[in-house]
Amino acid sequence: MSEIRTGGETIAAIATAIVPQQGSVGIVRLSGCQAQAIAKLLFDAPGRQRWESHRILYGYIRHPQTQQIIDEVLLLLMLAPRSYTREDVVEFHCHGGIIAVQQVLQLCLEAGARLAQPGEFTLRAFLNGRLDLTQAESVAELVGSQSQAASQAALAGLQGKLATPIRQFRAACLDVLAEIEARIDFEEDLPPLNVPDIVSQVNHISAELSILIETAEKGERLRSGLKVAIVGRPNVGKSSLLNAWSQSDRAIVTNLPGTTRDIVESQLVVGGIPVQVLDTAGIRHSEDQVEKIGIERSRTVAKSADLVLLTIDAEAGWTDSDQEIYQQVQDRPLILILNKIDQVSENELESKLQQVQSKLNREELLIVKTAAALNKGIPELETAILTAINAGNVQASNLEIAINQRQAAAITRAKIALDQMKTTIENELPLDFWTIDLREAIQALGEVTGEEVTESVLDRIFSRFCIGK
């Protein structure tokens, strides 16, 4: 990253997703001191269009030697400092697909630009003071968000709703540090420290940091989603449940046992949380080699799932096979699905429920009644999933700020340092010892926003970005 800090190079990259034969627009982005010169070399604007910042021009990309037209494009010029990177930025809005944008990018590289590294545009925005580190991370989270809730949490970070309180806490710590160091250097010339006031400030900051730390697990759930495995013996309606839930024919449904041989996946969103639903092979004893492999995969998926939907046949009730499967997944968060309720009477259904509850003897077990073949019970299933999630202290929505793992680690260090400072004060240790813990908290909080950050941390953060961002 050291070469990036010089700011002397102009970088270029394709800034949009490129899919063969799809997409109406593809954008090639340039940033750096030579961006405007490269654009003028390649871009031919017919007529008397004015070349000025924040104006869209129409024209052609031409090969500088042969003058062959490469593409018909729009050019957007954004001169420093009014750009994303606070450098001169040029965007060529080309026709979508692969060929046109790749040809334009290649011409930019031949004209003197360098291919951007992953996240380098956003890194330059950070290094040039356009974004702080929490906002830069929020850019990546916004691009990669899989649900509306995750998108809103990322937007909150991009708007500074995490950085603002962190800076306030850090400033308060710096004020306290200045007060303490002034007493160390000029003890005889200043009044004594107001120790109760300092302890009160430290307690307040520590409590606020605890609130932020609690959002880490919730934020991770919003970003990575929930892995839900549908398990059960053959022909209890697992595949029908997946099809009804996803409103598609993702899984093959027949009356033959062992139809599902491998894991079938579907991506859904429940209460703002992305959910990866996995339909597994029916678990039973089988001599079929292929089916045995699928069954073993089902067991592995069930053991690693965040939530297991144990599905049984309402008509057959609780069987020895169900009991055997239950023993393999009973340590996982569990919802029991009583499927095919359309095939039994109300009295029979009540009897089956009592049978299941007596066999399991498990308090607060969530039971959902479904008729997957008739698309019945899906809203109740999603409600039960949200109930299970919230029971695990993971909010499905209304989460404005959601810190990531790196931020959580730094904020936790800051809280531990502040708590240690309170212990130091209680033990009446010299003021020099107070400043050690306080400096550690200040440094940790600075790492969150990027006011104190190492090269290796920047490498780790921005290497996860896509190249064009």
Side-chain angles (χ1 to χ4, degrees):
M1 293 292 183
S2 58
E3 63 178 2
I4 297 174
R5 289 182 181 276
T6 65
E9 292 182 304
T10 296
I11 57 175
I14 298 172
T16 48
I18 302 300
V19 181
Q21 300 177 355
Q22 296 184 34
S24 60
V25 177
I27 297 176
V28 176
R29 177 178 293 152
L30 290 146
S31 179
C33 58
Q34 295 299 313
Q36 190 174 184
I38 293 172
K40 287 184 175 180
L41 176 66
L42 303 179
F43 183 72
D44 177 20
R48 298 182 178 180
Q49 301 178 66
R50 290 159 51 191
W51 185 280
E52 57 185 36
S53 185
H54 292 78
R55 177 181 290 272
I56 296 177
L57 304 179
Y58 162 79
Y60 303 93
I61 296 292
R62 292 182 181 271
H63 193 286
Q65 277 76 48
T66 66
Q67 292 301 301
Q68 177 187 357
I69 293 178
I70 304 302
D71 194 16
E72 182 182 29
V73 304
L74 296 177
L75 181 147
L76 175 58
L77 174 65
M78 294 166 280
L79 297 179
R82 295 175 58 210
S83 72
Y84 181 66
T85 61
R86 283 194 172 165
E87 302 173 335
D88 288 351
V89 171
V90 171
E91 288 184 353
F92 296 118
H93 292 230
C94 313
H95 286 93
I98 291 181
I99 301 302
V101 287
Q102 286 187 339
Q103 286 183 305
V104 172
L105 174 62
Q106 184 59 37
L107 288 179
C108 292
L109 300 180
E110 292 174 0
R114 170 177 62 76
L115 185 64
Q117 299 174 16
E120 190 170 352
F121 290 97
T122 303
L123 174 60
R124 291 191 175 198
F126 165 70
L127 295 176
N128 292 328
R130 169 71 170 74
L131 303 171
D132 65 42
L133 202 52
T134 65
Q135 291 173 310
E137 289 175 297
S138 294
V139 170
E141 290 166 4
L142 182 60
V143 172
S145 59
Q146 302 178 57
S147 68
Q148 184 177 354
S151 173
Q152 290 301 310
L155 278 173
L158 191 55
Q159 293 166 359
K161 292 184 179 180
L162 172 60
T164 298
I166 291 295
R167 288 200 187 95
Q168 291 172 348
F169 301 148
R170 189 169 184 269
C173 289
L174 285 168
D175 290 341
V176 172
L177 179 63
E179 288 285 322
I180 296 172
E181 290 186 331
R183 267 50 177 203
I184 294 174
D185 296 333
F186 309 103
E187 182 178 7
E188 297 178 356
D189 301 326
L190 295 172
L193 277 174
N194 186 340
V195 177
D197 181 61
I198 289 177
V199 172
S200 175
Q201 290 186 63
V202 171
N203 281 334
H204 171 71
I205 296 172
S206 180
E208 292 296 320
L209 293 182
S210 294
I211 294 173
L212 286 176
I213 292 169
E214 289 175 358
T215 70
E217 184 180 353
K218 305 170 186 177
E220 185 61 26
R221 188 69 71 198
L222 281 180
R223 296 181 187 97
S224 62
L226 193 73
K227 183 187 290 185
V228 176
I230 306 175
V231 302
R233 58 188 180 82
N235 276 24
V236 295
K238 300 184 300 300
S239 296
S240 295
L241 183 62
L242 174 65
N243 289 344
W245 195 3
S246 63
Q247 298 181 359
S248 66
D249 293 329
R250 297 300 301 272
I252 299 173
V253 178
T254 74
N255 293 325
L256 299 175
T259 300
T260 302
R261 298 296 185 97
D262 205 349
I263 309 301
V264 180
E265 300 183 16
S266 187
Q267 300 292 334
L268 304 173
V269 176
V270 177
I273 293 180
V275 176
Q276 179 187 21
V277 185
L278 306 170
D279 174 27
T280 64
I283 298 176
R284 64 170 180 167
H285 297 289
S286 175
E287 298 302 323
D288 185 293
Q289 189 62 33
V290 176
E291 187 180 0
K292 286 172 68 175
I293 295 173
I295 291 170
E296 188 56 39
R297 288 183 180 179
S298 297
R299 292 192 174 101
T300 301
V301 165
K303 290 176 182 178
S304 64
D306 299 308
L307 181 64
V308 171
L309 306 183
L310 177 55
T311 308
I312 68 171
D313 186 333
E315 188 174 19
W318 190 259
T319 66
D320 292 340
S321 296
D322 296 322
Q323 182 66 35
E324 183 179 340
I325 296 169
Y326 171 72
Q327 290 173 350
Q328 298 174 33
V329 299
Q330 60 182 332
D331 61 332
R332 308 303 303 159
L334 184 72
I335 295 177
L336 184 70
I337 308 296
L338 197 61
N339 193 33
K340 302 184 181 180
I341 60 171
D342 54 308
Q343 298 182 14
V344 296
S345 66
E346 286 292 334
N347 291 336
E348 288 176 312
L349 181 59
E350 186 61 33
S351 174
K352 300 297 184 183
L353 277 173
Q354 293 176 0
Q355 177 198 21
V356 169
Q357 290 168 335
S358 65
K359 290 286 186 181
L360 296 183
N361 192 26
R362 181 167 172 166
E363 294 183 3
E364 299 181 357
L365 174 65
L366 290 170
I367 300 177
V368 178
K369 295 175 284 187
T370 65
L374 302 179
N375 292 331
K376 291 184 178 179
I378 302 304
E380 291 78 5
L381 172 58
E382 294 191 346
T383 299
I385 289 174
L386 293 179
T387 300
I389 292 173
N390 290 328
N393 198 31
V394 180
Q395 295 294 330
S397 57
N398 300 322
L399 181 62
E400 187 172 45
I401 298 175
I403 63 175
N404 60 34
Q405 292 181 343
R406 183 196 72 84
Q407 295 161 354
I411 294 172
T412 299
R413 277 179 41 226
K415 183 182 184 309
I416 291 173
L418 292 176
D419 291 343
Q420 181 59 45
M421 180 184 173
K422 289 188 292 183
T423 303
T424 301
I425 295 173
E426 292 169 1
N427 292 335
E428 299 182 350
L429 294 177
L431 294 181
D432 288 343
F433 288 86
W434 298 21
T435 64
I436 294 173
D437 300 320
L438 200 51
R439 287 181 185 279
E440 171 65 20
I442 291 168
Q443 179 177 347
L445 292 175
E447 289 176 8
V448 177
T449 57
E451 290 164 283
E452 298 193 37
V453 67
T454 64
E455 195 86 7
S456 60
V457 170
L458 292 181
D459 280 336
R460 189 167 64 251
I461 292 172
F462 289 99
S463 65
R464 303 188 186 113
F465 279 59
C466 59
I467 289 178
K469 201 62 178 177

